[in-house]
Amino acid sequence: MVEHIVLIKLLPNVSTEQKDELIRRTILLKDIIPGIIDIQQGINFSNRNKGYDIGLTVRFEDRTSLENYGPHPAHQEIFAYLKEIGLEDIIIVDFDINTFSKGCTQ
């Protein structure tokens, strides 16, 4: 399995309604794009956010599913909406789940 983590920083003028719409659209991807096991997204409430407004995690069956996710038309529609409402910055981290712990000894 693969974990995909995204942190999104929006321009200050993005409304709560636009953020909620982004989340609503994103959550629907689980029923549209093959290979998604779980998808969670929400508005950050931490004061440790360094300006990032929204967090997203997507768990995929495998790396191939992650590779197919990026160019998928439904994902591209979400990304276009994100840019339209005011994307300032984005951080993405992808990793295989449990690969480190399998070889880890103490």
Side-chain angles (χ1 to χ4, degrees):
M1 281 189 287
V2 171
E3 192 77 14
H4 176 68
I5 300 173
V6 181
L7 302 177
I8 300 167
K9 185 185 290 188
L10 299 167
L11 296 173
N13 63 333
V14 177
S15 70
T16 301
E17 292 78 18
Q18 289 170 313
K19 292 175 187 177
D20 288 343
E21 179 62 15
L22 173 66
I23 292 167
R24 186 192 71 74
R25 292 181 186 194
T26 303
I27 297 301
L28 293 174
L29 293 178
K30 183 176 182 189
D31 297 326
I32 299 170
I33 300 178
I36 295 177
I37 296 170
D38 186 51
I39 188 166
Q40 301 293 324
Q41 187 173 42
I43 297 173
N44 178 62
F45 61 83
S46 170
N47 61 359
R48 302 172 292 164
N49 63 12
K50 302 210 180 214
Y52 288 82
D53 304 285
I54 296 178
L56 167 69
T57 61
V58 185
R59 186 161 290 183
F60 293 96
E61 292 175 357
D62 51 31
R63 287 188 183 194
T64 301
S65 298
L66 171 63
E67 291 166 9
N68 292 334
Y69 170 79
H72 192 284
H75 177 262
Q76 288 301 308
E77 286 179 21
I78 301 291
F79 195 68
Y81 178 73
L82 182 55
K83 291 191 295 187
E84 176 187 318
I85 64 172
L87 175 63
E88 183 176 332
D89 192 24
I90 193 165
I91 295 175
I92 300 170
V93 177
D94 299 313
F95 59 91
D96 292 309
I97 296 175
N98 293 327
T99 57
F100 179 76
S101 63
K102 288 179 184 175
C104 184
T105 59
Q106 294 183 341

